[in-house]
Amino acid sequence: MRIVKQEAVFSVTFRWKFAGDIWHENWAGFCFLSSVGLLYEVNKLSGMMLCRSESKTKREELRLTSQ
């Protein structure tokens, strides 16, 4: 009877450890991919803002030179 109880405790402990390892790996992967996605979006937005400011500067230069 005592051996069966120890095996049951080991089995439950192993299951929790295995589930924890899987959860940790998935969480780490999710965080990494989310960070990459966020950096991509920020880079895209900053590129768009830079492009807008450059086009405004060019328009102002053209307007000033044509006067």
Side-chain angles (χ1 to χ4, degrees):
M1 183 80 162
R2 184 141 174 92
I3 295 172
V4 173
K5 188 174 183 182
Q6 287 176 346
E7 287 177 1
V9 169
F10 174 75
S11 177
V12 169
T13 304
F14 180 74
R15 285 183 192 156
W16 277 106
K17 175 156 179 29
F18 185 69
D21 289 344
I22 290 174
W23 184 86
H24 178 70
E25 288 175 9
N26 288 336
W27 182 250
F30 173 75
C31 289
F32 174 75
L33 291 176
S34 297
S35 299
V36 169
L38 184 64
L39 287 173
Y40 172 77
E41 291 296 326
V42 168
N43 188 31
K44 190 169 63 170
L45 286 173
S46 66
M48 288 171 53
M49 292 175 67
L50 180 64
C51 186
R52 275 188 178 175
S53 67
E54 285 179 351
S55 66
K56 283 183 181 178
T57 304
K58 286 180 184 176
R59 272 188 271 149
E60 286 294 318
E61 288 175 355
L62 287 173
R63 187 178 63 82
L64 291 174
T65 56
S66 66
Q67 287 180 352

